[in-house]
Amino acid sequence: MRDIRLFTDKASLSRAVARAFVERASESERFSVALTGGGTPRLLYEFLATEYHDRVPWERIHFFWSDERYLPLDHAESNTGMVREALLDHVDVPVENVHVPPVELADPEEAARRYEEELHRFFGSGEPRLGWVFLGLGEDGHVASLFPGSPSLEESNRWVMAVKDSPKPPPVRLTMTLPIINRAAGVHFLVAGATKAPALSSALEAPQDPARLPAQGVRPINGTLTWWLDEQAASKLNPSK
Ligand code: 6PG
């Protein structure tokens, strides 16, 4: 059974996600979240920083990024920059809780290793069980920076990898891999807008082919998978499935 939550627009979707996130984060002593970039989650981040601000247990949440573009943090297209602007600059999060991908390092392979080490330090010897992973869905079916045909989709050990030839600019990125995404307690896709309708219907209803549709590779092993959609994105879904 697919867990789909459907909303009339991005604002009601974002508020519902904010409520669910706050509820879940409040149940844990230490709650880890992987944030996503892109345009869709920005409103959610703004709501968390404003309307929901007083309900979020900020000091207990650890922020990671499911992917980052290899750009200066003050670049308009930086995922970290966007999250800072929409959320983190407005709230009181202990600095040690914000785990920014080290894209300032000259070598992206080294940055991927360092970010993976940071995750290892965070989880200790245990499983890398992120509490909540946010993902967007690309129009080509990509998730995080796992693009169709990418060799990183085959990865079974690494938790973070460098991407050097992303078809979506910029070409160089860091991305979490399916092995860590699929070990999360909860994975949450945020998909809004009519341009996403074809990719969404393929991701959910086309025969399984994660090499072509990376979103299909997201299958939590022992966690939940929730699709937060607006009506436009969901307009091509088959209601009988
Ligand atoms: C990136 C983004 C990317 C994004 C999807 C959906 O670094 O390019 O993280 O993976 O999540 O492309 O983006 P939108 O929500 O903007 O459509």
Side-chain angles (χ1 to χ4, degrees):
M1 251 295 268
R2 54 193 198 187
D3 181 2
I4 288 186
R5 317 277 171 97
L6 189 58
F7 301 89
T8 47
D9 54 30
K10 192 154 79 172
S12 51
L13 181 162
S14 303
R15 286 197 172 89
V17 175
R19 280 194 297 276
F21 177 75
V22 165
E23 199 174 306
R24 186 62 201 82
S26 305
E27 291 165 358
S28 301
E29 283 308 305
R30 188 177 79 151
F31 192 64
S32 52
V33 53
L35 301 167
T36 182
T40 312
R42 190 181 176 111
L43 189 59
L44 161 71
Y45 299 154
E46 289 170 357
F47 283 153
L48 288 172
T50 54
E51 285 180 36
Y52 292 85
H53 176 275
D54 295 348
R55 294 188 239 168
V56 182
W58 296 108
E59 69 293 343
R60 291 198 242 149
I61 302 181
H62 282 256
F63 296 90
F64 292 88
W65 273 256
S66 54
D67 73 327
E68 180 53 295
R69 302 161 180 181
Y70 228 80
L71 296 169
L73 298 186
D74 59 358
H75 191 285
E77 299 285 315
S78 158
N79 288 340
T80 303
M82 184 278 278
V83 174
R84 283 202 185 287
E85 216 177 274
L87 175 66
L88 297 176
D89 283 352
H90 312 282
V91 301
D92 229 355
V93 182
V95 61
E96 62 275 17
N97 290 21
V98 181
H99 306 266
V100 175
V103 293
E104 71 284 0
L105 298 179
D107 177 8
E109 302 288 356
E110 173 64 14
R113 277 193 295 276
R114 295 255 193 112
Y115 205 45
E116 186 166 312
E117 278 164 21
E118 180 143 357
L119 284 155
H120 275 284
R121 270 195 299 279
F122 181 78
F123 288 107
S125 55
E127 283 269 288
R129 190 165 171 79
L130 289 156
W132 187 295
V133 174
F134 282 117
L135 293 175
L137 176 68
E139 283 155 34
D140 57 357
H142 81 261
V143 283
S145 287
L146 299 166
F147 290 89
S150 157
S152 42
L153 285 164
E154 304 294 321
E155 181 59 33
S156 53
N157 292 313
R158 299 287 310 272
W159 299 349
V160 181
M161 290 183 82
V163 176
K164 292 183 177 152
D165 55 357
S166 157
K168 178 182 176 187
V172 182
R173 293 154 171 264
L174 294 186
T175 187
M176 284 190 181
T177 59
L178 292 172
I180 184 165
I181 292 171
N182 284 335
R183 282 185 176 79
V187 181
H188 300 263
F189 272 97
L190 270 48
V191 192
T195 59
K196 298 296 171 71
L200 183 68
S201 91
S202 304
L204 286 171
E205 294 171 355
Q208 281 289 312
D209 186 1
R212 190 175 72 84
L213 291 163
Q216 293 185 334
V218 177
R219 285 185 300 242
I221 298 161
N222 186 18
T224 57
L225 174 60
T226 310
W227 292 85
W228 303 85
L229 312 176
D230 77 351
E231 281 176 0
Q232 290 187 320
S235 62
K236 291 194 186 319
L237 292 182
N238 180 347
S240 64
K241 284 211 179 176

